[in-house]
Amino acid sequence: MSELAHGTLAGLAEIADTGRDARRGGYSRHLWQGPDLELRAWFTERAERLGLGVETDRNGNLWAWWGEPGPDAVVTGSHLDSVPGGGAYDGPLGVVSALEAVARLRASGFTPSRPLAVLVFAEEEGSRFGIACLGSRLLTGGIDAGRARALVDADGVTLAEAAHRAGLDPAHLGVDREALARIGLFIELHVEQGRGLIDLGRPVAVASSILAHGRWRLTVTGQGNHAGATLMGDRRDPLLAAARAVVAVQDEALNHPGARATVGRLEVVPGGTNVIASSVHAWLDARAPTDAATRDLVTAIEAAVGEAVTVNGCSVAVTEESWTGTVTFDAVLVGRFRAVLGGGALVPALPTGAGHDAGVLAASVPSAMLFVRNPTGVSHSPEEFAEVDDCVAGIDALASLLRSLL
Ligand code: GLV
Ligand code: MN
Ligand code: MN
């Protein structure tokens, strides 16, 4: 990222070494753990240097205010956490671009007529506590606070304990009507996570919609036993059953137009080389073009997986962990933003299969997104990328929108 070391994207260069994951490649930046804490300190320092006043809300989201906080504020931002082994742009590009757009407005002597904040959401990827967009869900009441407090990370630490260690009062986690009421409009700039802008040959788009999506835990239960002493015909091996289940997930997704279904995480219990597992947890991520299509897909997966595991004498229990309905961004706002940015021929409207805090917020406040071209078309991976010129085009677009709104 050496070409970013100066100029408008210096922010990305400043955090380029934070949270690098030597084992997985890419970055692992998880809520309130070392790298995430460093990024929060970096953001605070950066925003304060710009003359913004930084505060943390009751759910751990960071707000950097230009002027007095709300009401009717224009708010822009994204997140700084990552998936395990993620790329450099998913989240940070939106935060760095927001700070840069504000820096430009300030440097030009612009005086806003309404408050503006740069917002950094906590735990957008759900990599530590399992629920994506946790900060925005808590803020908007999209998750029950009691349920959220009881979420546990891989080390058995509850969200309540982690929040306490991070200096928050766990009793105050949950819907924050006061903070929400300050938002007049939210804009999230994000690296594109598919190939839409590559195919169209454009650097920047406005988001039109987000696929319905959710996460389900599949717990496959068999019989733990000895790897050497148990004849092949005497086994009830849940890992073999889980392997069949993973194939069944793919087959069902292929049967449902526009659907995507993924098992990207397995936990084998107890997990010994010479031990036939007793159970396997597999996490399903399923997405489809409508709420009904996504529900149909998951119903079909449950049936197929239930049947698949019986071949190995196992059973499966399916638990829903999170759900986000289809998001259609406000068409008037999308049209207005495209017009401000030069018209539809220059700035397309694109749907996405990736989830975002802007999608969660859209149920409560007017929300919109800008996408910046990703020439690899790859995301949630170290291969995720954006050219400097396209990032600059994204910042230009965001600054123009902010100027038109303020
Ligand atoms: C977040 O990036 C998601 O789509 O899961
Ligand atoms: Mn992501
Ligand atoms: Mn993201």
Side-chain angles (χ1 to χ4, degrees):
M1 212 175 284
S2 57
E3 76 273 26
L4 305 184
H6 46 81
T8 51
L9 292 173
L12 282 182
E14 288 164 14
I15 61 173
D17 290 329
T18 308
R20 277 196 190 277
D21 190 325
R23 188 169 64 83
R24 299 179 175 112
Y27 294 95
S28 292
R29 299 160 164 170
H30 303 151
L31 181 68
W32 297 323
Q33 293 178 335
D36 184 59
L37 294 173
E38 279 177 45
L39 291 174
R40 286 164 173 269
W42 165 84
F43 173 78
T44 302
E45 201 265 326
R46 257 250 165 197
E48 285 177 351
R49 247 198 290 145
L50 256 181
L52 310 183
V54 180
E55 57 179 46
T56 306
D57 70 18
R58 54 205 281 180
N59 294 304
N61 304 308
L62 295 172
W63 303 67
W65 287 97
W66 182 0
E68 284 302 304
D72 199 30
V74 175
V75 180
T76 180
S78 190
H79 60 98
L80 291 170
D81 66 309
S82 77
V83 294
Y89 297 84
D90 176 355
L93 182 63
V95 175
V96 166
S97 299
L99 289 172
E100 183 58 28
V102 172
R104 283 193 194 184
L105 293 181
R106 285 179 77 91
S108 72
F110 180 79
T111 312
S113 61
R114 55 199 280 206
L116 178 144
V118 177
L119 178 51
V120 175
F121 282 107
E123 181 78 334
E124 193 272 350
E125 301 288 7
S127 300
R128 182 167 178 194
F129 289 101
I131 308 284
C133 298
L134 188 58
S136 54
R137 283 184 211 269
L138 283 164
L139 169 69
T140 57
I143 183 169
D144 174 71
R147 184 182 163 223
R149 276 190 282 272
L151 292 170
V152 285
D153 72 4
D155 297 320
V157 178
T158 64
L159 180 71
E161 288 164 30
H164 176 70
R165 287 181 206 167
L168 296 179
D169 182 346
H172 290 164
L173 291 173
V175 64
D176 189 343
R177 293 199 175 81
E178 215 175 295
L180 197 55
R182 301 184 304 195
I183 307 177
L185 183 142
F186 178 67
I187 309 175
E188 179 169 3
L189 179 148
H190 206 281
V191 68
E192 202 204 345
Q193 297 175 285
R195 307 186 57 85
L197 284 168
I198 301 175
D199 293 345
L200 292 167
R202 300 299 315 163
V204 173
V206 177
S208 55
S209 61
I210 300 179
L211 292 186
H213 57 283
R215 296 179 180 189
W216 289 261
R217 181 197 293 239
L218 316 179
T219 300
V220 183
T221 305
Q223 184 179 47
N225 214 330
H226 194 290
T230 314
L231 299 181
M232 296 312 286
D234 290 343
R235 299 175 178 218
R236 290 168 46 220
D237 184 339
L239 189 51
L240 284 175
R244 289 182 203 283
V246 171
V247 175
V249 164
Q250 176 202 246
D251 292 347
E252 288 308 324
L254 290 171
N255 276 337
H256 288 73
R260 296 110 208 241
T262 308
V263 176
R265 179 157 72 109
L266 289 179
E267 195 178 291
V268 180
V269 182
T273 305
N274 56 351
V275 181
I276 299 166
S278 54
S279 63
V280 172
H281 301 286
W283 280 266
L284 166 70
D285 177 307
R287 314 186 187 213
T290 64
D291 293 9
T294 311
R295 292 291 185 196
D296 280 356
L297 168 69
V298 174
T299 302
I301 286 175
E302 281 192 51
V305 158
E307 203 177 311
V309 300
T310 60
V311 175
N312 296 97
C314 296
S315 60
V316 62
V318 180
T319 317
E320 181 174 306
E321 296 198 334
S322 64
W323 168 259
T324 306
T326 314
V327 176
T328 305
F329 288 107
D330 181 71
V332 175
L333 202 55
V334 170
R336 224 173 81 208
F337 282 7
R338 291 173 79 192
V340 169
L341 299 176
L346 290 179
V347 181
L350 281 183
T352 179
H356 298 286
D357 293 306
V360 172
L361 249 62
S364 305
V365 294
S367 300
M369 292 192 75
L370 288 174
F371 291 136
V372 170
R373 175 165 52 193
N374 171 357
T376 66
V378 174
S379 186
H380 284 185
S381 149
E383 286 179 57
E384 178 183 281
F385 187 58
E387 298 286 357
V388 174
D389 286 352
D390 289 353
C391 295
V392 171
I395 294 167
D396 287 343
L398 181 60
S400 300
L401 292 182
L402 295 179
R403 201 177 270 276
S404 76
L405 292 161
L406 291 166

